[in-house]
């Protein structure tokens, strides 16, 4: 897929790399026993370690190590049996230590890969450079007081995985696909809940532009964008800004920029040259983190089937199209729901009902599949009624609507509304006769060669029976009567 | 390693220590001596010697993922120069 941008001096190519900060699912923090739950009263989930009181020492949480390894395995990455924690030095009001404990030269996870699912069923591989463990900072509230900033340290010390991609993406769509896939994999693994609104998944985007085939251009980093849509918007805007700047004879400065979701633009965040002088050095409070191959293999053995494997299996076992398989496999709950519906039934019909009618209803009402008004078992029951001839496809849609509203079983709705399909040939014959009698002129036209009118007759019969006639039987009867 | 005034001023800025202009020269000389003393280590050939993380042979201790700490806001905020509504209150940080 070619995704070049047109400029005045020719075509331009975007080069995008993403740094994702993913909050690890855990009870306690990376180096302290304080809780991590979202939304607590300010500073109530802070230990003296997180507040950086003198003499407090960090002790690593085993779950942080496990989750990082699990994520690395999910991304088919190199797991480093020895990794080292370093101090990244900078001053900010929400960083009480004056440094962040992070991993610099020896991260716990090395190179891996991720497969992007793109439009039209295409896919593309993007390299993962590394994953390292680090502490989150506290939260600053700038708008609570005219002259003060308020600091809440509840988030201070919570475990983050920083997942760094190679600069392999070439469009905002690919960046979006990367984030969706990464989030999907981490949700399958149970290592990060992927909630961007609550800040458990945050993205920094590195963007540069070049003429295809040229050396890499100077990049800008856009910080802390909190939705996939905004990441894509920020990238689009930033690429255009850089192209215009260069084409007007300007030079792109390597800098950190902020995205303004209000107007869809980016602006310089800080120009302090010393802001980037982090003076990393190994944290003397922490020995190197050593894990064994057995530890890694134990985690590998517990990995669930991941979205790529599930998608392939849905295509192979159920004969689903690539896009449907990808859609169903993207979230574990959706995949499980689909498999329950498909069990012992026509898998393609099950797919059509889940991705068509059900997703339609969920999208319209803004509900997740966990909140679905129709359970997998009930939807399966509806499909059974289609298969045994009780319901036509059209009637089934009416029944489904009633099921969504009432939450009742398909069979109950059919009984209550008297929606049962009429397949009895003699009853249908009577209706057909009536339609043919009432439309004598059309019958004559049809017999004179206007074949298209067949559909008209079918429609009239269906209308006369309020959609309850079995369309297959109607077709047969009509053919017999008109052909004779 | 020779150390000039500008480098000392930069280190002071990074460490958020205000150093009057008049003291830079003296500090440069002092720091040069300290670094010079440490630089004696360069005389030892450390090729292929792994970095020593600790003088005692122990492993990094691990902790179970259990909530065992926190919920001590009064203690956490006790030394804060200013606080409000359970937050630390600091001079406005402008981005």
């Amino acid at each position: 897929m070619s995704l070049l941008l047109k400029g005045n001096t020719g075509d331009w190519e975007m080069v995008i790399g993403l740094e994702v900060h993913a909050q690890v699912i855990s009870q306690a923090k990376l180096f302290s026993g304080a809780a991590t739950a979202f939304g607590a009263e300010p500073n109530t989930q802070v230990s003296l370690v997180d507040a950086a009181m003198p003499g407090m020492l960090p002790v690593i949480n085993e779950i942080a190590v496990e989750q990082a390894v699990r994520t690395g395995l999910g991304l088919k990455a190199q797991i480093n049996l020895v990794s080292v924690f370093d101090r990244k030095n900078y001053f900010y009001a929400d960083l009480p230590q004056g440094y962040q404990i992070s991993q610099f030269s020896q991260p716990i996870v090395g190179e891996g890969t991720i497969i992007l699912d793109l439009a039209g069923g295409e896919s593309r591989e993007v390299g993962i450079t590394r994953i390292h463990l680090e502490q989150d900072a506290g939260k600053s509230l700038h708008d609570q007081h005219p002259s003060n900033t308020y600091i809440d340290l509840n988030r201070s010390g919570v475990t983050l995985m920083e997942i760094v991609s190679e600069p392999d993406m070439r469009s905002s769509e690919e960046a979006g696909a990367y984030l969706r896939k990464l989030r999907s994999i981490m949700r399958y693994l149970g290592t990060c809940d992927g909630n961007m609104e609550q800040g458990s998944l945050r993205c920094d985007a590195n963007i540069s532009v070049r003429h295809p085939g040229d050396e890499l251009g100077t990049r800008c980093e856009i910080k802390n964008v909190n939705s996939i849509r905004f990441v894509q918007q920020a990238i689009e805007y930033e690429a255009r800004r850089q192209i215009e700047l260069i084409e007007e004879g300007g030079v792109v400065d390597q800098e950190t920029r902020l995205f303004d979701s209000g107007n869809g633009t980016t602006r310089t965040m800080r120009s302090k040259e010393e802001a980037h002088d982090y003076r990393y050095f190994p944290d003397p409070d922490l020995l190197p983190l050593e894990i064994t191959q057995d530890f890694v293999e134990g985690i590998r053995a517990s990995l669930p089937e991941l979205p790529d494997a599930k998608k392939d299996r849905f295509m192979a076992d159920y004969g689903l199209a690539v896009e449907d398989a990808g859609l169903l496999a993207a979230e574990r709950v959706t995949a499980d729901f689909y498999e329950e519906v498909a069990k012992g039934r026509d898998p393609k019909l099950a797919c059509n009902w889940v991705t068509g009618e059900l997703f339609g209803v969920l999208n319209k009402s803004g509900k997740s599949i966990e909140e679905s008004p129709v359970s997998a078992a009930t939807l399966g029951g509806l499909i059974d009624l289609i298969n045994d001839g009780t319901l036509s496809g059209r009637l089934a849609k009416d029944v489904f609507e009633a099921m969504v509203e009432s939450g009742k079983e398909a069979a109950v709705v059919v009984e209550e509304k008297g929606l049962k399909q009429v397949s009895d040939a003699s009853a249908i014959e009577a209706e057909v006769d009536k339609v043919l009698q009432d439309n004598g002129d059309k019958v004559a036209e049809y017999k004179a060669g206007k074949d298209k009118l067949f559909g008209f007759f079918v429609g009239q019969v269906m209308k006369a029976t309020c959609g309850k006639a079995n369309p297959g039987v109607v077709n047969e009867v009509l053919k017999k009567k008109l052909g004779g | 390693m020779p150390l000039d005034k500008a480098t000392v001023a930069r280190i002071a800025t990074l460490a958020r220590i205000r150093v009057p202009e008049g003291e830079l020269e003296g500090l440069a000389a002092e720091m040069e001596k300290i670094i010079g003393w440490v630089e004696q280590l360069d005389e030892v050939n450390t090729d292929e010697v792994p970095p020593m993380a600790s003088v005692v042979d122990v492993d990094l201790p691990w902790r179970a993922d259990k909530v065992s700490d926190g919920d001590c806001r009064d203690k956490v905020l006790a030394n804060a120069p200013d606080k409000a509504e359970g937050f630390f209150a600091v001079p406005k940080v402008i981005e």
Side-chain angles (χ1 to χ4, degrees), chain A residues 383-447:
Chain A
I383 292 172
D384 289 341
L385 292 182
I386 301 171
N387 278 336
D388 71 12
T390 309
L391 290 174
S392 67
R394 210 202 104 178
L395 275 181
K397 285 185 186 176
D398 294 343
V399 172
F400 182 73
E401 260 174 46
M403 289 163 68
V404 168
E405 294 206 347
S406 64
K408 288 179 181 159
E409 301 269 335
V412 174
V413 172
V414 169
E415 195 67 36
E416 283 179 1
K417 301 212 164 194
L419 287 171
K420 208 168 169 191
Q421 176 170 262
V422 179
S423 300
D424 174 26
S426 61
I428 289 174
E429 244 170 76
E431 295 293 340
V432 168
D433 285 342
K434 208 163 154 250
V435 165
L436 296 184
Q437 221 165 45
D438 292 351
N439 295 284
D441 48 339
K442 295 261 172 29
V443 174
E445 283 179 49
Y446 178 83
K447 290 197 167 161

Side-chain angles (χ1 to χ4, degrees), chain A residues 144-324:
Chain A
Q144 304 289 305
H145 188 272
S147 57
N148 283 341
T149 291
Y150 285 175
I151 307 290
D152 173 11
L153 296 181
N154 281 349
R155 225 175 52 191
S156 169
V158 166
T159 311
L160 297 180
M161 294 181 284
E162 180 171 329
I163 304 160
V164 184
S165 85
E166 292 290 304
D168 284 351
M169 285 157 275
R170 296 290 176 270
S171 70
S172 60
E173 287 77 21
E174 289 183 359
Y178 173 88
L179 290 171
R180 278 192 296 274
K181 190 57 171 285
L182 184 60
R183 186 171 62 178
S184 163
I185 290 172
M186 290 193 294
R187 282 184 177 163
Y188 264 80
L189 294 167
T191 58
C192 171
D193 68 24
N195 188 327
M196 292 187 89
E197 279 125 55
Q198 291 183 0
S200 33
L201 193 70
R202 312 197 281 273
C203 179
D204 301 342
N206 284 293
I207 302 147
S208 63
V209 296
R210 65 176 174 189
H211 290 301
D214 281 5
E215 295 283 297
L216 287 175
T218 306
R219 69 186 156 84
C220 289
E221 183 181 15
I222 304 171
K223 277 274 184 204
N224 263 339
V225 194
N226 66 359
S227 85
I228 292 177
R229 191 164 59 90
F230 288 158
V231 170
Q232 297 193 198
Q233 265 184 32
I235 290 170
E236 293 287 338
Y237 175 85
E238 180 58 21
R240 279 283 160 210
R241 186 190 72 86
Q242 292 182 14
I243 291 168
E244 276 173 33
L245 185 66
I246 298 167
E247 292 195 329
E248 282 166 12
V251 175
V252 175
D253 289 323
Q254 183 167 339
E255 61 176 0
T256 305
R257 300 179 67 85
L258 272 183
F259 176 68
D260 183 339
S261 58
N263 59 16
T265 63
T266 65
R267 62 185 154 83
T268 301
M269 182 176 168
R270 56 180 164 211
S271 48
K272 281 179 285 173
E273 281 166 33
E274 276 155 357
H276 290 294
D277 194 344
Y278 293 131
R279 291 150 296 140
Y280 283 98
F281 65 90
D283 191 317
D285 290 340
L286 289 159
L287 289 161
L289 172 59
E290 295 182 54
I291 52 177
T292 62
Q293 195 61 44
D294 281 352
F295 176 80
V296 177
E297 295 312 321
I299 295 172
R300 194 193 306 276
S302 74
L303 291 185
E305 181 184 39
L306 290 171
D308 288 328
K310 213 179 266 288
K311 179 176 139 187
D312 290 346
R313 181 166 64 79
F314 282 6
M315 288 163 66
D317 291 4
Y318 298 137
L320 301 187
V322 56
E323 277 180 301
D324 287 336

Side-chain angles (χ1 to χ4, degrees), chain A residues 42-43 142 145 149 274 277, chain B residues 10 63 71 73 86 90 92:
Chain A
N43 292 309
H142 301 292
H145 188 272
T149 291
E274 276 155 357
D277 194 344
Chain B
R10 184 175 146 73
R63 184 168 51 77
D71 202 10
R73 179 155 81 186
V90 303
K92 197 96 162 175

Side-chain angles (χ1 to χ4, degrees), chain B residues 68-84:
Chain B
S68 57
D69 205 346
D71 202 10
C72 54
R73 179 155 81 186
D74 293 343
K75 274 188 185 170
V76 165
L77 294 174
N79 296 327
D82 194 5
K83 58 200 156 194

Side-chain angles (χ1 to χ4, degrees), chain A residues 27-29 32-34 42-44 46-47 59-62 91-92 142 145 147-151 274 277 287-288, chain B residues 10 13-14 16 53-54 58 61-63 65-73 84 86-90 92-93 95:
Chain A
Q27 298 298 314
K29 294 182 179 181
S32 88
N43 292 309
T44 55
V46 183
S47 74
V59 182
I60 197 164
N61 185 343
E62 62 183 7
F91 285 100
Y92 201 79
H142 301 292
H145 188 272
S147 57
N148 283 341
T149 291
Y150 285 175
I151 307 290
E274 276 155 357
D277 194 344
L287 289 161
Chain B
R10 184 175 146 73
T13 306
L14 285 170
R16 300 296 189 275
S54 171
V58 289
W62 291 24
R63 184 168 51 77
D65 183 35
K66 293 223 172 72
V67 176
S68 57
D69 205 346
D71 202 10
C72 54
R73 179 155 81 186
F87 294 98
F88 289 92
V90 303
K92 197 96 162 175
V93 184
E95 292 212 329

